[in-house]
Amino acid sequence: MDNNRIYYSLYESKIMTAEQAARLIEDKMIIGSSGFTKAGDSKAVLPAFAKRAANEQVGITLITGASLGHTTDTDLANNNALYKRMPFQLDSSLREKINDGSILFIDQHLSETAELLSNRHLPGIDIAIIEATYVDENGNIIPTTSVGNSATFAHLAKKIIIEINTAIPLDFKGIHDVIIPQDYPNRHVYNVTHTGSRIGQDFISIDPEKVIGVVFTEMTDSPARETESDETTTAIADHLLDFFNREIKAGRLTKSLLPLQAGIGKVANSVLSGFAKGDFEHLTMYSEVLQDSTFELIDSGKLDVASASSITVTKACYNTLLANFGRYKDKIVLRPQNISNSPEIIRRLGVIAINTAIEFDIYGNVNSTHITGTKMMNGIGGSGDFARNAYLSIFVAPSVSKGDAISHVVPMVSHTDHTEHDVDILVTEQGLADLRGLAPRERAKMIIDNCVHPAYKEQLQDYYNRALERGGHTPHIIEEALQWHSSLLQLGTMKQFVFQEQG
Amino acid sequence: MDNNRIYYSLYESKIMTAEQAARLIEDKMIIGSSGFTKAGDSKAVLPAFAKRAANEQVGITLITGASLGHTTDTDLANNNALYKRMPFQLDSSLREKINDGSILFIDQHLSETAELLSNRHLPGIDIAIIEATYVDENGNIIPTTSVGNSATFAHLAKKIIIEINTAIPLDFKGIHDVIIPQDYPNRHVYNVTHTGSRIGQDFISIDPEKVIGVVFTEMTDSPARETESDETTTAIADHLLDFFNREIKAGRLTKSLLPLQAGIGKVANSVLSGFAKGDFEHLTMYSEVLQDSTFELIDSGKLDVASASSITVTKACYNTLLANFGRYKDKIVLRPQNISNSPEIIRRLGVIAINTAIEFDIYGNVNSTHITGTKMMNGIGGSGDFARNAYLSIFVAPSVSKGDAISHVVPMVSHTDHTEHDVDILVTEQGLADLRGLAPRERAKMIIDNCVHPAYKEQLQDYYNRALERGGHTPHIIEEALQWHSSLLQLGTMKQFVFQEQG
């Protein structure tokens, strides 16, 4: 046993194997587990439970911060160990079971899960499973690479299992800033007034009496996927950087912009990497995930401070970070996701939010979650928390995919996650549509002129022209509005669709 | 001239007629005018400008708090005096012009207009027109029955015209709590921690140098429409009151509930009036409009304090209020709409939001604005500000209308203003669907079982059953999802639609 990981002697009698801990979970229990975008997840107990479920009919409702790493969600899904899952996932096996209806999934704004639990709008947590760097002399938990919903889980759960991960350096202590929502009607202000503000404690406070198991692991997080810029992502990034430069020239922003939030993925990474080249200085980030680009920007001296709920980076970046943690420690803060994604703080700081759309329509409504209106991809994640409250709400997407069988700019989105009220800027590799101060008919012109792929431009203009003849504040041909999607389902393409006026 | 209405002598030389003031407005100017849900609007200068536009080709972009009273929007619209209008309206002539595309309308969350102006995401205000009870010794404005966006207009405008309305008693001074958003990146906390918190000044601070005209009026606000409860609204109110009683029994709420917000109209009034009869005490209201029911609840001793951006009541209530203002004065606060509708404060206080839907779908997405997906009704108003951040987000609608030609519960909404993520409770006269903690397939069952009118139940169940065969997290038959709406457009009814599987 590692003596410098448990400073609270009463826990020593609770040390057990992952298999023993997994036996403490009963069928139909509600489990809250650490883990946010593959960072700081349960690496022993949940996998052991998944194994147990291979031989036994036993299942849980699993609530996490966001996605889990390794093959945990895959194994849980394939072994029928999940009845219900929330608030986010990013796993192809789990996704399949969600879409065939065998696992119920609740797609939640990431800021809201802790709220719903605190308000008892969701059932109570039976067991919280929390990854720890170590436990301190009062039995409290020093988290690892994410905070997620862990503090709320630990606070509300009847019982707690701690996974001490010895792969995480002890000097992670100090990067976390933890606070839980007070009960209504006595909520306090979340007094974050700049990106680096600290308003809580650097540990998760727990009642040691609730701890029923302590498990040791030594295992790094699943690495983020390597993302190489390509022509499309570079073009999108360039359009956005041009836009920011114009905003600076117009005097609306300074070279420090305002705190940046970026969703996960190639485009976001491309944009953020672009800032390293540009004439920007003293940037800050108020986001949900710190990615490779965050640490590149810190290295380049452009980024002063970054706040999020997790660190999710590639293998190489992870190794550099762990080996040189002191270089970054005073520049990063990890918070609970109800604080990293808090509407209050996002609006107060004036966050610039950059998120990825599955598709958007000619009026600027955005679908972030559902393929052809029915199949869940990953979940809304934090995009809504940010888009709705941001100083600027930006969504990016390639204009087409699968060759040009799919247009990501459509007459009407097949599912709405972000309404046109909450979308300021849309960008594809074709160009950027600045929708600020525009009425729907102006938005349509701007989007068709700037964002649509040439293969779909005429087709979309034709739809819009005919919709205009029908009139309305937001013109549509209602019986044709979703035909691009049904064409995709039936014919495998949105293209060359022959329109007949049906009205 | 009324000497006790101007305590700043330099303004006396600026006194003029409404017609003279209207001449100060130039073609294509951007005008910001007081007025929120018909309260505290410009009653002289805008109407005079509308008259001027009858004989002259002259038009403006008009930004208000919300809807205007009297026939101002009608006259402006009919005389082609509007190029663009935001953020809300409630006028049939204006609506017609918006829907035929001759007036551009921007439908905004009511909390956001002041933000967009402060951030210069909207063009600058040329002239602010603000109704005042009086002007104080520093030239500052004591507002009347609304605050709306007036403080931001006055702060940002190049010039200001003041309308002093002598119909408003001088003791209105003291009910307002005014603050404007600071510029980024130095935003402060909006430190409202309970409904009655005061964080600003009880006047609108202005630069007297900007005042170019002072006009006197003596004219009451347009009264709110009289609303009589009927069978439908009473049934909806009863379902909701039962629900609140169950929440109290479950220990999630106390008899004081949490601060209430209610949209305008019959149902909201019915629900609020219901509280007077029930076993509730020390209620509070954090809303955008104070309606008759607010004052009834104060009279009944059930309501301790009410905060909003305006007072919009019927003639009888208005007269009682003005004659007995002292009885109510210490129980009400009027705030700028970016504070009454602030996401930060709504989430902190844990507001219970009750708003009206035009239609909702089997997964709980809500359309608040567009008839059959294209025609603007009034605008989203504050419903999004509240729904998204509320402790409980409740939407109400009758299950059917026009006999039963229209079902307000549909397979897929024809326009989305509030996504399923932001909708907790749906109520029709048929019953209440409590969607908390439910996945989409569970939501569909709950909504079909509880909210749909019998005339549509089989039809909707049939759609859902066939959608289930296709699968997906959110099952839909995409080519049929909007057919109820096209049937309504083509056949005048959503009923008896003969479905043929087209896949």
Side-chain angles (χ1 to χ4, degrees):
Chain A
M1 204 207 68
D2 195 333
N3 262 329
N4 67 1
R5 298 279 172 168
I6 300 186
Y7 292 89
Y8 187 76
S9 58
L10 290 183
Y11 288 168
E12 292 184 8
S13 65
K14 305 287 169 61
I15 294 170
M16 59 181 69
T17 65
E19 291 65 34
Q20 287 171 320
R23 287 262 150 227
L24 301 172
I25 300 173
E26 294 166 27
D27 188 41
K28 298 203 168 55
M29 271 190 169
I30 314 231
I31 306 297
S33 170
S34 64
F36 190 99
T37 56
K38 305 198 283 188
D41 53 340
S42 159
K43 296 173 181 71
V45 181
L46 281 181
F49 180 75
K51 264 194 201 134
R52 186 183 149 202
N55 307 307
E56 230 181 291
Q57 193 144 20
V58 62
I60 55 174
T61 287
L62 177 59
I63 313 179
T64 55
S67 55
L68 298 178
H70 303 286
T71 60
T72 306
D73 262 329
T74 306
D75 298 341
L76 287 166
N78 287 341
N79 295 341
N80 302 311
L82 297 176
Y83 297 121
K84 215 172 213 177
R85 180 80 175 85
M86 64 191 94
F88 187 82
Q89 57 79 37
L90 191 75
D91 182 277
S92 59
S93 302
L94 175 53
R95 181 181 300 138
E96 204 173 293
K97 300 253 181 188
I98 288 168
N99 283 319
D100 74 16
S102 54
I103 295 173
L104 292 168
F105 175 60
I106 307 185
D107 177 30
Q108 282 170 338
H109 296 299
L110 294 183
S111 77
E112 290 192 354
T113 312
E115 299 281 342
L116 296 171
L117 287 167
S118 303
N119 299 341
R120 290 182 286 152
H121 294 167
L122 290 173
I125 303 283
D126 292 302
I127 300 180
I129 307 172
I130 316 283
E131 194 185 60
T133 301
Y134 70 92
V135 289
D136 71 14
E137 64 283 5
N138 299 310
N140 293 321
I141 289 175
I142 315 306
T144 61
T145 47
S146 72
V147 179
N149 288 316
S150 298
T152 292
F153 292 153
H155 177 64
L156 297 175
K158 293 183 198 122
K159 305 286 174 195
I160 299 173
I161 296 171
I162 302 173
E163 287 192 18
I164 295 180
N165 187 345
T166 57
I168 302 298
L170 290 171
D171 58 358
F172 260 58
K173 158 91 174 177
I175 63 165
H176 311 97
D177 186 52
V178 181
I179 192 172
I180 56 165
Q182 295 102 338
D183 290 338
Y184 288 116
N186 297 310
R187 272 295 176 90
H188 299 181
V189 166
Y190 290 139
N191 199 23
V192 175
T193 54
H194 59 277
T195 308
S197 294
R198 291 183 156 276
I199 60 171
Q201 302 173 312
D202 60 2
F203 56 84
I204 295 174
S205 182
I206 62 173
D207 173 2
E209 294 292 316
K210 298 203 289 191
V211 174
I212 54 170
V214 176
V215 176
F216 274 82
T217 65
E218 186 175 4
M219 194 173 179
T220 54
D221 289 331
S222 287
R225 208 181 301 173
E226 305 273 351
T227 57
E228 286 293 309
S229 292
D230 58 29
E231 232 175 280
T232 303
T233 60
T234 306
I236 291 174
D238 287 348
H239 293 311
L240 259 177
L241 292 167
D242 286 350
F243 166 78
F244 286 123
N245 282 318
R246 288 197 301 275
E247 289 295 294
I248 293 168
K249 238 177 224 162
R252 278 189 288 265
L253 288 170
T254 68
K255 287 178 183 176
S256 303
L257 303 177
L258 281 165
L260 298 163
Q261 177 263 335
I264 290 188
K266 283 204 287 192
V267 178
N269 247 321
S270 245
V271 173
L272 293 178
S273 300
F275 287 127
K277 289 174 280 175
D279 191 21
F280 302 96
E281 57 187 28
H282 301 301
L283 296 170
T284 59
M285 181 170 275
Y286 198 84
S287 194
E288 46 187 26
V289 189
L290 304 184
Q291 302 172 69
D292 284 32
S293 47
T294 309
F295 297 96
E296 288 165 22
L297 282 171
I298 291 176
D299 286 342
S300 73
K302 298 274 186 185
L303 184 69
D304 287 358
V305 57
S307 164
S309 197
S310 79
I311 300 171
T312 305
V313 292
T314 60
K315 190 81 202 159
C317 184
Y318 193 85
N319 292 338
T320 310
L321 178 68
L322 263 51
N324 306 276
F325 194 65
R327 198 200 297 170
Y328 303 103
K329 185 167 176 176
D330 65 339
K331 295 191 165 60
I332 59 181
V333 189
L334 296 187
R335 308 179 190 275
Q337 65 201 73
N338 48 307
I339 303 294
S340 64
N341 290 27
S342 157
E344 165 175 347
I345 300 168
I346 292 164
R347 188 168 283 193
R348 184 183 306 136
L349 297 182
V351 171
I352 295 174
I354 307 170
N355 289 290
T356 305
I358 286 178
E359 62 181 5
F360 55 83
D361 68 26
I362 52 174
Y363 299 110
N365 299 288
V366 170
N367 172 8
S368 297
T369 54
H370 282 69
I371 306 293
T372 59
T374 58
K375 293 208 169 159
M376 172 54 61
M377 195 63 202
N378 306 321
I380 193 167
S383 58
D385 295 318
F386 285 95
R388 184 58 193 282
N389 298 290
Y391 166 87
L392 275 176
S393 167
I394 301 167
F395 282 90
V396 300
S399 69
V400 290
S401 64
K402 304 222 167 157
D404 57 7
I406 298 174
S407 173
H408 296 280
V409 192
V410 293
M412 179 188 268
V413 286
S414 57
H415 179 91
T416 306
D417 290 295
H418 312 289
T419 74
E420 52 95 1
H421 306 95
D422 304 325
V423 179
D424 299 313
I425 309 281
L426 290 169
V427 198
T428 68
E429 81 290 348
Q430 299 294 318
L432 180 146
D434 182 349
L435 306 174
R436 292 175 294 176
L438 301 188
R441 289 166 187 236
E442 297 172 302
R443 293 168 80 98
K445 181 171 163 36
M446 183 69 81
I447 291 169
I448 295 172
D449 286 353
N450 290 286
C451 298
V452 184
H453 191 273
Y456 286 95
K457 201 155 192 164
E458 201 182 328
Q459 185 172 324
L460 198 55
Q461 186 68 56
D462 174 67
Y463 173 86
Y464 180 60
N465 291 347
R466 289 180 297 111
L468 271 178
E469 286 168 26
R470 297 245 187 129
H473 175 60
T474 302
H476 269 301
I477 303 166
I478 202 76
E479 70 277 14
E480 204 181 280
L482 297 175
Q483 274 189 0
W484 291 32
H485 300 91
S486 49
S487 167
L488 178 64
L489 286 172
Q490 289 164 28
L491 311 170
T493 177
M494 290 181 171
K495 258 181 73 179
Q496 302 294 348
F497 199 83
V498 181
F499 293 107
Q500 302 289 342
E501 183 71 32
Q502 302 183 346
Chain B
M1 204 206 69
D2 196 334
N3 262 329
N4 66 0
R5 297 280 171 166
I6 299 186
Y7 292 90
Y8 187 75
S9 58
L10 291 183
Y11 288 169
E12 292 185 9
S13 65
K14 306 288 168 61
I15 295 171
M16 58 181 69
T17 65
E19 292 64 35
Q20 287 170 321
R23 286 264 149 224
L24 301 172
I25 300 173
E26 294 167 25
D27 188 40
K28 298 203 168 52
M29 272 190 168
I30 312 221
I31 305 297
S33 170
S34 64
F36 190 100
T37 54
K38 306 196 282 186
D41 54 339
S42 160
K43 296 174 181 70
V45 182
L46 282 180
F49 180 74
K51 264 194 202 136
R52 186 183 147 203
N55 307 308
E56 229 182 292
Q57 192 145 18
V58 62
I60 55 174
T61 287
L62 178 59
I63 313 179
T64 55
S67 54
L68 297 179
H70 303 286
T71 59
T72 306
D73 263 327
T74 306
D75 299 340
L76 288 166
N78 287 340
N79 295 341
N80 302 312
L82 296 176
Y83 296 121
K84 216 171 211 176
R85 181 80 175 84
M86 64 192 93
F88 187 83
Q89 57 78 38
L90 191 75
D91 182 278
S92 60
S93 302
L94 175 53
R95 182 182 299 140
E96 205 173 293
K97 300 254 180 187
I98 287 168
N99 283 319
D100 75 16
S102 54
I103 294 173
L104 292 168
F105 176 60
I106 307 185
D107 176 31
Q108 282 169 337
H109 296 299
L110 294 183
S111 77
E112 290 192 354
T113 312
E115 299 281 343
L116 296 171
L117 287 166
S118 303
N119 300 341
R120 290 182 286 151
H121 293 167
L122 289 172
I125 304 283
D126 292 302
I127 299 179
I129 307 172
I130 315 284
E131 193 185 61
T133 302
Y134 68 93
V135 288
D136 71 13
E137 63 284 5
N138 299 308
N140 293 320
I141 289 173
I142 314 306
T144 60
T145 47
S146 72
V147 180
N149 288 314
S150 298
T152 291
F153 293 152
H155 177 64
L156 297 175
K158 294 183 199 123
K159 305 287 172 195
I160 300 172
I161 297 171
I162 302 173
E163 287 191 19
I164 296 178
N165 187 345
T166 56
I168 303 297
L170 289 171
D171 59 357
F172 261 58
K173 158 92 173 175
I175 62 164
H176 311 96
D177 185 52
V178 181
I179 191 171
I180 56 165
Q182 295 101 339
D183 290 337
Y184 288 118
N186 298 309
R187 272 297 175 88
H188 299 181
V189 166
Y190 289 138
N191 200 23
V192 175
T193 53
H194 58 276
T195 308
S197 293
R198 291 184 157 275
I199 60 171
Q201 303 173 312
D202 61 2
F203 55 86
I204 295 174
S205 181
I206 62 172
D207 172 3
E209 294 292 317
K210 298 203 288 190
V211 174
I212 54 172
V214 175
V215 176
F216 274 82
T217 65
E218 185 175 5
M219 193 174 180
T220 54
D221 290 330
S222 287
R225 206 180 303 172
E226 306 272 350
T227 57
E228 285 292 309
S229 293
D230 57 29
E231 231 176 281
T232 302
T233 60
T234 306
I236 291 175
D238 287 347
H239 293 310
L240 259 176
L241 292 167
D242 285 350
F243 166 78
F244 286 123
N245 282 319
R246 288 196 302 275
E247 289 296 293
I248 293 168
K249 237 177 224 162
R252 279 190 288 265
L253 288 170
T254 68
K255 285 178 186 176
S256 303
L257 304 177
L258 281 165
L260 298 163
Q261 177 263 336
I264 290 188
K266 281 204 288 193
V267 178
N269 247 322
S270 245
V271 173
L272 293 178
S273 300
F275 287 127
K277 290 172 280 174
D279 190 21
F280 303 97
E281 57 187 26
H282 301 301
L283 296 170
T284 60
M285 182 172 274
Y286 197 84
S287 194
E288 47 187 26
V289 189
L290 304 184
Q291 303 173 69
D292 285 31
S293 47
T294 310
F295 297 96
E296 287 165 24
L297 281 171
I298 291 176
D299 287 341
S300 73
K302 298 274 186 183
L303 183 68
D304 286 358
V305 57
S307 165
S309 196
S310 78
I311 300 171
T312 304
V313 291
T314 60
K315 191 82 202 159
C317 184
Y318 193 86
N319 292 339
T320 309
L321 178 68
L322 262 50
N324 306 276
F325 194 65
R327 199 199 298 168
Y328 303 103
K329 185 166 175 175
D330 66 338
K331 294 192 166 60
I332 59 179
V333 189
L334 296 187
R335 309 178 189 274
Q337 64 200 74
N338 49 307
I339 304 293
S340 65
N341 289 27
S342 158
E344 166 175 346
I345 300 167
I346 293 164
R347 189 169 283 194
R348 184 182 305 135
L349 297 183
V351 171
I352 295 173
I354 306 169
N355 289 290
T356 305
I358 286 179
E359 62 182 4
F360 56 82
D361 68 26
I362 52 173
Y363 299 110
N365 299 287
V366 169
N367 173 8
S368 297
T369 54
H370 283 69
I371 305 294
T372 60
T374 59
K375 293 208 169 159
M376 173 54 61
M377 195 62 202
N378 306 322
I380 193 166
S383 58
D385 295 318
F386 285 94
R388 184 60 192 283
N389 298 290
Y391 166 87
L392 276 177
S393 167
I394 301 167
F395 282 90
V396 299
S399 68
V400 290
S401 63
K402 303 221 168 159
D404 56 10
I406 297 174
S407 173
H408 296 280
V409 192
V410 293
M412 179 188 269
V413 286
S414 57
H415 179 91
T416 306
D417 290 295
H418 311 289
T419 73
E420 52 95 1
H421 307 95
D422 304 325
V423 179
D424 299 313
I425 309 281
L426 290 169
V427 198
T428 69
E429 82 290 350
Q430 298 295 317
L432 180 146
D434 182 350
L435 306 174
R436 293 175 294 175
L438 300 189
R441 289 167 187 237
E442 296 172 301
R443 293 168 80 96
K445 181 172 163 35
M446 184 69 82
I447 291 169
I448 295 172
D449 286 354
N450 291 285
C451 297
V452 185
H453 192 272
Y456 286 95
K457 202 156 193 165
E458 201 182 329
Q459 186 173 324
L460 198 55
Q461 186 68 55
D462 175 67
Y463 173 86
Y464 180 59
N465 291 346
R466 289 178 300 110
L468 270 179
E469 286 168 26
R470 296 248 187 127
H473 176 60
T474 303
H476 268 303
I477 303 166
I478 201 77
E479 71 277 13
E480 204 181 279
L482 298 174
Q483 275 189 359
W484 291 32
H485 300 91
S486 50
S487 166
L488 179 64
L489 286 171
Q490 289 164 28
L491 311 171
T493 177
M494 290 180 171
K495 257 179 75 177
Q496 302 293 348
F497 199 84
V498 182
F499 293 107
Q500 301 289 341
E501 182 72 31
Q502 302 182 346

